[in-house]
Amino acid sequence: AIALAGQWKYHKALSLLAFQSFGVVYGDLSTSPLYVFKSALSGLDKYSDEATVFGLLSLIFWTLTLIPLLKYVIIVLGADDNGEGGTFALYSLLCRHAKMSLLPNQQAADEELSTYYQPGVDRTAMSSPFKRFLEKHKKLRTCLLLFVLFGACMVIGDGVLTPTISVLAALSGLQDRGTGGLGNGWVVLIACVVLVGLFALQHRGTHRVAFVFAPIVVLWLLSIGVIGLYNIIHWNPRVCLALSPHYIVKFFKITGRDGWISLGGVLLAVTGTEAMFADLGHFTAASIRLAFVGVIYPCLVLQYMGQAAFLSKNMSDVHDSFYLSIPRTVFWPMFVLASLAAIVGSQSIISATFSIVKQCLSLGCFPRVKVVHTSRWIYGQIYIPEINWILMVLCLAVTVGFRDINIIGNAYGLACITVMFVTTWLMALVIIFVWKKNILLALSFLVFFGSIEGAYLSASFIKVPQGGWTPIALAFVFMFIMYVWHYGTRRKYLFDLQNKVSMKWILTLGPSLGIVRVPGIGLIYTELVTGVPAIFSHFVTNLPAFHQILVFVCVKSVPVPYVPVDERYLIGRIGPRQYRMYRCIVRYGYKDVQKDDENFENHLVMSIAKFIQMEAEEAASSGSYESSNEGRMAVIHTTDATGTGLIMRDSNEGTSLTRSSKSETLQSLQSIYEQESGGLSRRRVRFQVAEEEQINPQVRDELSDLLEAKEAGVAYIIGHSYVKARKNSNFLKSFAIDYAYSFLRKNCRGPSVTLHIPHISLIEVGMIYYV
């Protein structure tokens, strides 16, 4: 009985997730019947017969069977990265298993993250000549990054073209029905109004999409499935024969090169397929498979068969075959459903575009932009204002500029098949390096699906002059921005790495570092995960005073989707204990949203206190407290205060406060700043060393110094850097660094805003980087 109850609960949850996936994942794929036959037959005017229509139907059926069903549902959905999917999930897996990342800030400690390896995967590194060859040649790793970025940019192109073609195709019904039918100009105008409204509502978030829009898509799919069945019976039951691949051979014999070009229209039948993998993080592979096999696939096949049956007897109606094949009595309900389904499809790809940009941002491949977390309950639902308005302007430009579904379809098909092609190549590498299968199996996968997608890609490239240039132009613009930003970021990091302050120099200064140590904690933000950055020596050279506690903070991205909160902080020590210098590395995954954590200072103090206690316990077991294991980093849990030797209290409790060294002027400025910030003051807490615990006197002194510094106040020191190319640099490097990278840095968010540093406590240190 318990087993049956557990199975019932599992199946109920699976069905609910499958139902919700209709509103998020399948909006785009389900609206394809609006324009597939129209686009595919646009260049086949001289082949207006039943054999041509049956050949196209056979192509559509087998394309739906081989790419979405066989490739994605059966194979690719199994290549998730801890539940996450998409192009960057595959790249992340490769970076971890084959060390293909270009940023040199990875540490051995990262591999100990619970999300670093998939459950059940053998952690022993596989060594093969192919793997060593890829890891050794930096140019190949650069090519892989460019390949991934190109695929990501094509997804952004989808974000421009999907809303345009979906809304225009849905509203095209107004041209043939109603009071005499509207002209194309009016349809374009209404489409522009709908698109503006769609993008204007994005700031409200997409967390209601799954529940509100899922019934619309399900009703739409069932309706087009029933209408397709009706058309098969009413117009031409012989259309069932067209499922045989024999009709594909016959089709190409009749049409030749024109038939090959029409593949660009057939391709539109599988647009939106990549969303099944890209949106995997919001659902499960089982729920997405259930939804596709149970509803999507049969309903779409019935609808395409119904349209083909109608067209085989009404070839003159090819310009709007979907709406003209609908029985007149249900036209208006279907028109409303089509419009709503088009909006759902547009909504899902816009959300996916935000996610792609966020992932690029996390991997250091996109300028810093504002990321808004729009849901408290559904993790990963985000909104990026700058990208939203850029997409809106581009959508309106494409709508007004082209006005023709066929031309937009050429561009749309090219963008979609390029993303699928990139996924196929990355998947082949995943089969070798992550799944550790035979290289022949990966080659078989690559040859089989690569040849099918290559055929469609070649047909799409033929249509580059007829609108296909649009996604290529968009991709190269975004790719240029991404690569310039990544190149500049990498060069800046390497400069920091090469100009680190030597530990020998610090040790010769003594515990006071040769400067005045003032009360308080100084948080020095750096991108380095080891060593002392040049910004520190630059600061003390110009202002010979520093805080009694120094913490070098590095906020870095790790190639995993999520870093558990308990594994986020890595704490270590720099120099001997009496120097009171520490390092804190805060790690985030590419799906994590770095929210303004008002307890960051408290978490930091608790983490350092835990590290001090842990280090003392290890030293006691070795018999020498003075032996400091410098350079060692430890994962510190921040969810509880046990094992720190500290007691944390709210400052509004009745106990007296420790004297703060902050001046009255600074305290009044702090209160004014908090009032101007909307009253969102940080949580006021204070710490005490637990008196009843038996703590080593030296540990107690170190903890007391830490708490005294915390009460005195925390200052955030960050570099205000100017990056310039060296004088002997070539023209390309000078242009990339001095103009392109400099322009992007000036026009994106500052690091202090991205890191949520309070302005009242911020100190910026100017530095020039000659890279």
Side-chain angles (χ1 to χ4, degrees):
I2 295 173
L4 285 173
Q7 284 184 353
W8 166 249
K9 192 174 180 181
Y10 168 76
H11 288 111
K12 185 180 177 182
L14 182 64
S15 302
L16 181 63
L17 276 175
F19 176 73
Q20 291 174 20
S21 71
F22 288 108
V24 175
V25 178
Y26 293 114
D28 187 9
L29 188 62
S30 65
T31 54
S32 296
L34 286 167
Y35 43 76
V36 170
F37 273 106
K38 179 181 179 180
S39 297
L41 287 166
S42 61
L44 299 174
D45 299 333
K46 53 186 176 183
Y47 308 104
S48 300
D49 56 13
E50 183 181 274
T52 304
V53 174
F54 280 18
L56 279 176
L57 173 62
S58 190
L59 274 169
I60 291 168
F61 171 76
W62 286 104
T63 303
L64 269 173
T65 303
L66 292 176
I67 295 181
L69 183 61
L70 180 59
K71 177 187 167 185
Y72 280 89
V73 170
I74 295 176
I75 302 173
V76 175
L77 284 179
D80 64 295
D81 181 11
N82 293 286
E84 291 297 326
T87 306
F88 272 97
L90 296 177
Y91 182 64
S92 170
L93 284 171
L94 292 172
C95 285
R96 301 203 307 263
H97 289 80
K99 293 181 174 58
M100 293 184 182
S101 176
L102 286 172
L103 283 179
N105 64 348
Q106 305 305 316
Q107 299 170 277
D110 296 340
E111 298 185 22
E112 296 172 10
L113 286 167
S114 59
T115 53
Y116 199 85
Y117 291 99
Q118 294 172 295
V121 171
D122 183 15
R123 296 193 176 200
T124 57
M126 183 195 72
S127 181
S128 68
F130 185 43
K131 181 183 176 183
R132 289 194 296 270
F133 179 73
L134 286 175
E135 290 178 353
K136 182 180 177 182
H137 291 81
K138 185 181 173 183
K139 288 184 179 179
L140 288 176
R141 287 183 285 146
T142 304
C143 288
L144 179 66
L145 175 67
L146 289 172
F147 191 60
V148 171
L149 290 182
F150 187 66
C153 292
M154 281 296 184
V155 175
I156 298 173
D158 273 354
V160 174
L161 297 165
T162 300
T164 307
I165 194 169
S166 299
V167 172
L168 264 182
L171 294 176
S172 66
L174 294 172
Q175 292 178 283
D176 299 303
R177 303 276 179 158
T179 55
L182 295 177
N184 191 50
W186 283 103
V187 171
V188 170
L189 179 63
I190 295 169
C192 288
V193 172
V194 171
L195 287 171
V196 170
L198 179 66
F199 284 101
L201 291 173
Q202 289 302 310
H203 71 281
R204 296 189 176 273
T206 59
H207 54 275
R208 294 187 181 89
V209 168
F211 293 100
V212 177
F213 289 150
I216 294 171
V217 177
V218 171
L219 186 59
W220 161 257
L221 284 163
L222 294 176
S223 300
I224 63 175
V226 170
I227 288 172
L229 186 60
Y230 166 79
N231 283 334
I232 293 169
I233 297 168
H234 182 264
W235 290 108
N236 191 354
R238 288 185 62 253
V239 78
C240 297
L241 299 173
L243 300 184
S244 168
H246 163 72
Y247 281 89
I248 297 176
V249 178
K250 192 175 178 182
F251 170 77
F252 283 118
K253 280 183 178 178
I254 295 170
T255 58
R257 185 177 182 274
D258 293 332
W260 188 266
I261 295 171
S262 72
L263 286 177
V266 175
L267 171 63
L268 298 178
V270 292
T271 53
T273 300
E274 188 71 24
M276 286 195 288
F277 187 45
D279 290 327
L280 190 58
H282 301 301
F283 304 97
T284 61
S287 63
I288 290 176
R289 285 172 174 141
L290 177 64
F292 184 83
V293 175
V295 180
I296 301 287
Y297 183 73
C299 287
L300 287 179
V301 169
L302 283 173
Q303 168 55 210
Y304 287 122
M305 288 174 69
Q307 269 196 68
F310 171 78
L311 281 170
S312 66
K313 303 297 182 184
N314 303 274
M315 284 301 295
S316 59
D317 292 333
V318 69
H319 63 282
D320 198 8
S321 59
F322 176 79
Y323 279 114
L324 293 175
S325 68
I326 296 172
R328 187 173 292 271
T329 51
V330 294
F331 170 79
W332 286 110
M334 287 302 296
F335 173 76
V336 172
L337 264 180
S339 302
L340 292 174
I343 292 171
V344 174
S346 304
Q347 177 72 52
S348 60
I349 194 65
I350 293 167
S351 303
T353 305
F354 292 155
S355 296
I356 282 286
V357 171
K358 168 66 180 66
Q359 292 171 24
C360 293
L361 185 66
S362 299
L363 292 173
C365 297
F366 205 86
R368 294 180 292 265
V369 289
K370 184 179 183 181
V371 178
V372 181
H373 198 74
T374 58
S375 174
R376 294 180 183 177
W377 302 280
I378 300 177
Y379 201 81
Q381 293 289 346
I382 58 173
Y383 165 67
I384 303 177
E386 296 94 332
I387 299 300
N388 184 63
W389 302 123
I390 289 171
L391 287 181
M392 187 189 79
V393 170
L394 291 173
C395 274
L396 293 176
V398 170
T399 305
V400 175
F402 290 140
R403 300 185 173 207
D404 187 349
I405 292 174
N406 291 331
I407 295 177
I408 299 171
N410 295 339
Y412 186 34
L414 180 59
C416 291
I417 195 62
T418 304
V419 177
M420 293 179 193
F421 197 62
V422 169
T423 299
T424 299
W425 279 87
L426 292 177
M427 191 66 206
L429 292 175
V430 166
I431 290 172
I432 298 170
F433 297 125
V434 182
W435 291 357
K436 298 177 182 175
K437 303 293 184 184
N438 193 296
I439 195 169
L440 292 176
L441 184 65
L443 280 174
S444 302
F445 176 88
L446 181 62
V447 169
F448 182 73
F449 291 107
S451 59
I452 294 171
E453 290 162 358
Y456 282 111
L457 196 60
S458 65
S460 298
F461 269 115
I462 293 172
K463 296 189 176 182
V464 165
Q466 290 86 40
W469 57 268
T470 309
I472 297 175
L474 288 172
F476 275 111
V477 169
F478 279 103
M479 199 170 161
F480 175 76
I481 292 170
M482 288 181 183
Y483 189 73
V484 163
W485 184 264
H486 185 269
Y487 177 74
T489 303
R490 195 169 77 246
R491 298 303 304 178
K492 182 172 175 290
Y493 184 89
L494 291 172
F495 179 90
D496 269 334
L497 204 60
Q498 292 161 5
N499 292 273
K500 288 191 296 187
V501 178
S502 69
M503 206 65 227
K504 184 179 179 182
W505 177 76
I506 290 177
L507 291 173
T508 56
L509 298 176
S512 69
L513 301 177
I515 53 176
V516 179
R517 300 293 289 266
V518 298
I521 297 177
L523 302 183
I524 306 166
Y525 278 81
T526 173
E527 294 177 0
L528 293 179
V529 292
T530 58
V532 176
I535 183 180
F536 174 68
S537 62
H538 192 69
F539 184 90
V540 297
T541 303
N542 291 278
L543 183 66
F546 223 97
H547 301 83
Q548 67 187 96
I549 301 290
L550 297 181
V551 184
F552 294 90
V553 180
C554 172
V555 179
K556 62 176 266 192
S557 288
V558 185
V560 298
Y562 304 106
V563 175
V565 177
D566 273 351
E567 301 175 37
R568 182 153 289 161
Y569 288 82
L570 265 177
I571 303 293
R573 186 188 295 279
I574 297 176
R577 287 186 172 83
Q578 61 269 30
Y579 281 52
R580 304 296 192 251
M581 295 170 66
Y582 309 93
R583 182 184 306 284
C584 172
I585 297 175
V586 189
R587 302 178 291 182
Y588 288 96
Y590 60 82
K591 283 277 189 176
D592 281 323
V593 176
Q594 298 178 26
K595 291 181 285 188
D596 184 5
D597 189 353
E598 63 180 17
N599 293 317
F600 173 71
E601 293 173 9
N602 300 327
H603 284 159
L604 188 64
V605 170
M606 296 297 288
S607 300
I608 294 173
K610 274 189 181 183
F611 176 79
I612 292 168
Q613 282 284 80
M614 183 189 69
E615 195 180 44
E617 289 170 6
E618 291 180 358
S621 64
S622 67
S624 173
Y625 177 74
E626 292 302 322
S627 61
S628 172
N629 188 7
E630 189 205 319
R632 177 178 177 273
M633 303 292 291
V635 177
I636 303 295
H637 304 297
T638 58
T639 50
D640 62 87
T642 57
T644 59
L646 300 184
I647 301 171
M648 186 170 72
R649 303 181 189 278
D650 286 335
S651 63
N652 55 7
E653 292 181 10
T655 52
S656 61
L657 284 172
T658 308
R659 178 184 64 81
S660 173
S661 65
K662 281 187 179 178
S663 67
E664 292 182 8
T665 305
L666 189 57
Q667 288 176 350
S668 64
L669 282 172
Q670 179 78 30
S671 61
I672 291 169
Y673 171 75
E674 288 168 356
Q675 288 171 4
E676 290 177 349
S677 300
L680 298 173
S681 59
R682 292 172 178 260
R683 181 188 174 196
R684 295 183 179 279
V685 299
R686 69 186 182 90
F687 298 94
Q688 290 178 330
V689 180
E691 295 292 339
E692 65 277 6
E693 290 192 23
Q694 296 297 319
I695 302 176
N696 184 299
Q698 290 171 301
V699 172
R700 184 180 292 276
D701 288 343
E702 192 168 0
L703 291 175
S704 299
D705 287 347
L706 180 65
L707 299 192
E708 183 184 338
K710 173 67 170 68
E711 290 297 326
V714 178
Y716 297 78
I717 297 97
I718 193 168
H720 188 84
S721 54
Y722 298 89
V723 183
K724 297 182 181 295
R726 291 194 184 102
K727 291 182 179 179
N728 59 348
S729 302
N730 59 44
F731 172 76
L732 280 176
K733 183 179 177 181
S734 298
F735 176 78
I737 297 295
D738 292 343
Y739 297 98
Y741 183 66
S742 177
F743 175 81
L744 292 174
R745 278 175 63 87
K746 286 177 183 176
N747 291 279
C748 72
R749 302 186 100 209
S752 60
V753 180
T754 308
L755 296 167
H756 305 291
I757 295 174
H759 295 297
I760 193 72
S761 308
L762 176 64
I763 301 171
E764 289 190 308
V765 182
M767 267 194 76
I768 298 178
Y769 285 71
Y770 287 102
V771 299

